[in-house]
Amino acid sequence: MRKVELRMNEQYKYKIIKKLVETNGNKKRAAIKLKRSVRQIDRMIAGYKEYGKEFFVHGNRGRKPLGAFTEEFKTEIELLYTNKYFDCTYTAFKEYLETRENIKISLDEVRVLLRDRYIFSPRTHKSTKRKFRKKLEADIIKATKKEKQELRNKLVLSEDAHPRQPRCQYFGEELQMDACIHLWFGKEKTALHAAIDDATGQVVGLYFDKEETLNGYYNITHQILSKYGIPYLIKTDKRTVFEYKKKASSKVEEDTFTQYSYACKQLGIHIETSSVPEFKPRVERLFQTLQQRLPQALRLAQITTIDEANQFLKNYIAQYNNKFALCINNNKSVFENQPSEEKINLTLAVLCKRVIDSGHSIKYNKQYYRLINKSGRPIYFNKGTKCIIIKALDGSLFATVDESIFALEEIEEIQARSIDFDELEEMKERKIYIPRMIHPWKGKSFEEFVKQQKHRIENVA
């Protein structure tokens, strides 16, 4: 039997599909992790059952591309859709092209071709329309007068309303998340981070911080994962932490949207953002209620610090849910099983890129660190070696170089003991906790994810 060598992304697909088949898992969650449709997941399952590991080797490996479509052909497809098949989905349009127009192109080619010209299917998601709207507005600025009018007509068509919505059917199907800066206690305003389930109105996470921060959202996500499990969808704010970036700053660790969305991707959580309050009405209404009740409760409990307030919230959540939320029907919960505490701690991490300096060390947050292996011994790499620093939720620091992971040890400016003047204890071999190397920490995987973030591309441009 021929040995099959898979690349890292192919191996990632293979492991997910293999686990999905063996455990009869959730296809939608696998679709989120692989950024594919459920239909494509079904295709992968069928291919895995028939060909095994060999199915995941890309069919175009080693082949030269056949070339791109001509502009005349693209215009022909656009006119066919806008004049004849304007109310069809991309899938139906692709089938009509094949059966009625004798044009054979794939569904992905149809989707890319039409979206590049700002033509959307009736089933296109709101988040996709918003993403393309930004690109469209940039194109309008560069276009001629005639082209501007045509683009503006498309812009009106791409706008979408936010009508009143019914509750979701299942617990964990949709969580709404936001933060509210208010005078909750004491004499200074603080930010209360909150998450609420749309189906039941259950508050699933509350956390205080000085400002609206990534740490605040990581902490309420930790509460959700450890108590309930992995939700299907999170809707949250677009205006502040999730798409905030400092002016002229290219540091990945400061890009909170990329950090949080990368953590969600590893857990299989779909995330949507919007600056419109009607997009997440349940959490907006929650803050109205909390502003009328929580400050009084904190004052009566004589809460004066953030640590005391966060401790108080643990009991307050249960009291609030008993009074205002619907009962949880466990039979209708779509939360995935809770991850281990170790996985939560390592997934809700801040990742950043660094380079080994001439002193075989790494500078992070104005401190120098050296790489340590499991035996507690330092490991040295050549100057210029690229690595990824991982700051876990509990503050632990690790670094990955290629396929290996190491702990980080701070290098002190002054040594603790003198070799010549202090009595030195006999050195014993230390055992350092280092988690196993996992796919999301692979430098190439993180760099590719960062490059896909549209707001970072625009910032560089």
Side-chain angles (χ1 to χ4, degrees):
M1 186 175 180
R2 183 170 70 91
K3 184 179 179 181
V4 179
E5 294 288 341
L6 296 181
R7 294 173 179 169
M8 190 166 184
N9 61 328
E10 295 167 348
Q11 183 72 16
Y12 186 52
K13 292 179 186 177
Y14 167 71
K15 287 184 177 180
I16 289 179
I17 297 301
K18 181 182 178 183
K19 183 179 179 181
L20 184 64
V21 172
E22 293 176 350
T23 63
N24 193 25
N26 189 313
K27 292 182 181 180
K28 290 186 177 180
R29 195 171 298 279
I32 292 174
K33 288 183 177 180
L34 297 178
K35 290 188 176 181
R36 298 290 187 271
S37 67
V38 175
R39 185 176 180 181
Q40 289 174 304
I41 295 298
D42 290 333
R43 180 181 64 82
M44 291 182 188
I45 292 173
Y48 170 77
K49 291 180 178 179
E50 185 173 357
Y51 301 105
K53 195 174 185 180
E54 188 176 356
F55 173 79
F56 295 88
V57 177
H58 198 282
N60 287 332
R61 185 181 292 181
R63 298 180 184 176
K64 292 183 178 180
L66 297 177
F69 296 138
T70 63
E71 285 299 318
E72 291 78 8
F73 179 79
K74 292 180 180 179
T75 302
E76 180 185 358
I77 298 298
E78 179 185 9
L79 292 175
L80 280 171
Y81 188 85
T82 54
N83 297 332
K84 193 173 181 180
Y85 303 106
F86 52 88
D87 56 349
C88 296
T89 63
Y90 292 149
T91 303
F93 178 54
K94 180 255 181 187
E95 293 171 357
Y96 282 131
L97 285 177
E98 187 171 347
T99 58
R100 297 169 66 93
E101 308 295 337
N102 197 28
I103 298 175
K104 294 184 179 180
I105 59 177
S106 70
L107 178 59
D108 285 339
E109 289 169 337
V110 168
R111 183 184 296 110
V112 171
L113 192 154
L114 293 179
R115 283 184 178 178
D116 282 348
R117 300 188 173 210
Y118 308 105
I119 300 172
F120 299 106
S121 162
R123 299 293 298 275
T124 301
H125 292 167
K126 295 176 184 177
S127 58
T128 303
K129 290 183 180 181
R130 287 194 296 271
K131 180 177 70 174
F132 277 85
R133 177 191 171 119
K134 291 181 180 179
K135 184 176 182 295
L136 181 57
E137 290 172 338
D139 289 346
I140 288 176
I141 298 173
K142 302 175 184 178
T144 63
K145 186 175 181 180
K146 183 179 179 180
E147 292 172 338
K148 283 182 179 180
Q149 187 58 44
E150 293 176 357
L151 289 172
R152 285 196 182 97
N153 292 337
K154 293 179 181 179
L155 182 62
V156 174
L157 294 174
S158 69
E159 291 195 359
D160 210 353
H162 294 271
R164 188 182 298 274
Q165 303 175 26
R167 290 179 182 269
C168 292
Q169 184 175 3
Y170 300 108
F171 181 51
E173 182 178 355
E174 177 187 311
L175 301 186
Q176 297 178 14
M177 190 181 293
D178 201 359
C180 178
I181 298 178
H182 184 69
L183 191 62
W184 297 103
F185 59 89
K187 297 180 180 180
E188 295 183 359
K189 291 184 177 181
T190 51
L192 176 62
H193 302 71
I196 188 171
D197 176 65
D198 183 70
T200 62
Q202 290 273 339
V203 176
V204 292
L206 290 175
Y207 186 83
F208 279 111
D209 208 339
K210 293 182 179 180
E211 300 288 344
E212 185 174 1
T213 62
L214 176 64
N215 177 65
Y217 285 106
Y218 267 174
N219 272 279
I220 57 174
T221 305
H222 178 272
Q223 295 175 33
I224 295 166
L225 296 174
S226 58
K227 186 173 182 180
Y228 301 101
I230 304 174
Y232 175 71
L233 168 67
I234 291 178
K235 286 185 176 182
T236 188
D237 200 9
K238 181 180 183 178
R239 293 168 297 180
T240 50
V241 64
F242 284 102
E243 293 205 359
Y244 169 79
K245 56 184 182 298
K246 290 186 177 181
K247 292 182 180 179
S249 174
S250 60
K251 294 182 179 179
V252 179
E253 58 266 38
E254 294 176 354
D255 186 353
T256 51
F257 176 74
T258 297
Q259 296 288 346
Y260 192 84
S261 60
Y262 191 64
C264 287
K265 178 180 181 293
Q266 312 318 319
L267 295 166
I269 302 173
H270 185 50
I271 180 171
E272 294 180 3
T273 62
S274 175
S275 59
V276 181
E278 290 82 2
F279 179 73
K280 43 180 178 44
R282 209 75 61 195
V283 71
E284 298 288 349
R285 185 66 182 87
L286 169 65
F287 284 129
Q288 292 181 20
T289 305
L290 291 177
Q291 285 180 8
Q292 298 171 1
R293 292 172 171 270
L294 185 55
Q296 292 84 347
L298 291 168
R299 177 177 56 81
L300 294 174
Q302 298 181 349
I303 301 297
T304 58
T305 66
I306 287 181
D307 291 338
E308 293 174 350
N310 284 324
Q311 191 66 30
F312 176 85
L313 289 177
K314 294 179 180 180
N315 294 326
Y316 185 81
I317 291 175
Q319 296 173 12
Y320 181 93
N321 288 335
N322 290 336
K323 187 173 183 64
F324 294 104
L326 301 176
C327 294
I328 299 174
N329 185 347
N330 292 325
N331 295 328
K332 291 188 176 181
S333 173
V334 293
F335 275 101
E336 193 79 0
N337 291 338
Q338 294 99 319
S340 65
E341 191 65 28
E342 179 188 18
K343 182 177 180 180
I344 295 173
N345 179 53
L346 297 174
T347 303
L348 302 180
V350 176
L351 279 67
C352 60
K353 296 177 282 187
R354 287 292 187 273
V355 177
I356 304 293
D357 63 13
S358 58
H360 309 289
S361 59
I362 304 170
K363 189 174 184 180
Y364 179 72
N365 286 344
K366 300 181 180 180
Q367 298 291 336
Y368 287 96
Y369 295 87
R370 55 177 164 233
L371 281 66
I372 303 295
N373 63 12
K374 290 185 178 180
S375 300
R377 299 185 180 278
I379 301 296
Y380 303 109
F381 290 93
N382 291 328
K383 176 185 177 181
T385 302
K386 295 181 179 180
C387 66
I388 295 290
I389 289 185
I390 305 147
K391 183 180 180 181
L393 185 63
D394 64 359
S396 303
L397 290 176
F398 306 97
T400 62
V401 179
D402 296 328
E403 298 286 350
S404 302
I405 182 168
F406 306 93
L408 291 183
E409 182 179 72
E410 184 178 346
I411 302 175
E412 299 176 350
E413 292 187 8
I414 302 175
Q415 63 182 9
R417 289 178 176 273
S418 171
I419 299 176
D420 298 318
F421 296 98
D422 293 332
E423 293 184 8
L424 299 178
E425 298 178 0
E426 184 179 350
M427 295 295 292
K428 296 181 180 179
E429 189 175 276
R430 295 181 297 166
K431 290 293 183 181
I432 304 295
Y433 165 73
I434 298 179
R436 63 183 181 85
M437 179 67 180
I438 57 177
H439 169 79
W441 292 347
K442 177 74 174 176
K444 187 176 180 181
S445 302
F446 181 62
E447 288 175 4
E448 288 178 353
F449 183 83
V450 171
K451 290 178 182 177
Q452 293 171 2
Q453 304 305 300
K454 188 173 185 296
H455 67 281
R456 293 190 62 82
I457 297 172
E458 291 174 346
N459 194 35
V460 172

